[in-house]
Amino acid sequence: MRIGVITFPGTLDDVDASRAARRAGAEAVALWHGDHDLRGVDAVVVPGGFSYGDYLRAGAIASLAPIMREVVDAARKGMPVLGICNGFQILCEAGLLPGALVRNAGLHFVCRDQALRVESSSTAWTGGFEAGQEIVVPLKSGEGRFVASTDTLAELEGEGRVVFRYVGGAPNGAMADIAGVASADGRVVGLMPHPEHAIDSLTGPTADGLGLFTSVLGAVAAA
Amino acid sequence: MPKPEILDPQGQAVTRALTRIGIGGVADVRQGKHFELEVDDSLDDETLHRIAGDLLANPVIEDWTVTRV
């Protein structure tokens, strides 16, 4: 099982994402933004950071990078893709996930350990969780407010594609307290908080985040 | 420009700052972006609208207009 982790100019969390993949039992494979090559990986993580300095809009330039053309093609064929923070923004800009992430309602950058409720265990990245289970992982973002049209929100809720919700209200003003969503086939998931920073109690608040990486191992094995 | 239904906290902060410098009568401020492109005469309006809709703006959250000057 090979999990690719993309590095763009300005990516910050590729090292932790790779470590999380290895800790889950996968081989972490470094992918470069300028390449048209997924190196035979079974799943891809688009990690957090500030790709291209958030120029134009967060994730907008990165969504057009050569590697993202390959990711979009592979995702449309069912390859699991996880976007974390800036990675979530990139997947929205690339059209793989609905909605958009905009400036936090309070204008402040939010950095804290955040409780989330796993609303769906039927995605490639949450199969190892129970629906309704609460987890705690770090949240660190200034443009994390999820927004979407009323129709899109109704569709997401109706189809069970809200994957993570902030417990105790969204600290960034996200619509319906949405922290993470999935594609229609449940293979692509994006979330603002950082599961890759919570894979052991030595370096994170919990080891809750590891569950996303172990879940995808099961999803790929079952495919 | 952010769509009308999208909360614009930056615009709200500007509105509040206006009262601090003693200017009343401004009910609302919306903050957006303005791009100036120097283009060949051969670029038609359709291409300019593609540039705006596919890259410069995100139609999920922003409305946009194209003006030739």
Side-chain angles (χ1 to χ4, degrees), chain A residues 27-43:
Chain A
E27 181 188 349
V29 179
L31 301 178
W32 186 241
H33 67 99
D35 291 343
H36 273 287
D37 185 3
L38 291 180
R39 300 180 63 190
V41 298
D42 303 295

Side-chain angles (χ1 to χ4, degrees), chain A residues 38-124:
Chain A
L38 291 180
R39 300 180 63 190
V41 298
D42 303 295
V44 166
V45 177
V46 188
F50 295 88
S51 58
Y52 297 90
D54 276 355
Y55 291 173
L56 186 59
R57 289 176 308 278
I61 308 283
S63 74
L64 302 173
I67 195 74
M68 285 308 297
R69 302 294 168 95
E70 306 304 319
V71 170
V72 169
D73 284 351
R76 301 230 187 269
K77 293 174 191 153
M79 191 183 69
V81 179
L82 177 68
I84 304 168
C85 195
N86 188 221
F88 185 13
Q89 296 163 338
I90 292 168
L91 296 184
C92 289
E93 285 282 347
L96 285 179
L97 290 172
L101 286 310
V102 295
R103 184 68 70 95
N104 292 349
L107 292 176
H108 290 287
F109 191 97
V110 174
C111 184
R112 67 187 207 184
D113 296 334
Q114 175 67 46
L116 304 174
R117 191 165 55 252
V118 182
E119 298 281 20
S120 167
S121 60
S122 53
T123 79

Side-chain angles (χ1 to χ4, degrees), chain A residues 153-199:
Chain A
L153 275 183
E155 192 181 313
L156 289 173
E157 298 279 6
E159 296 176 359
R161 290 167 56 193
V162 176
V163 184
F164 298 100
R165 233 185 278 269
Y166 299 105
V167 173
N172 47 29
M175 286 179 169
D177 296 338
I178 290 172
V181 299
S183 58
D185 65 1
R187 307 294 280 180
V188 182
V189 169
L191 76 167
M192 285 312 296
H194 288 264
E196 82 284 17
H197 293 331
I199 62 160

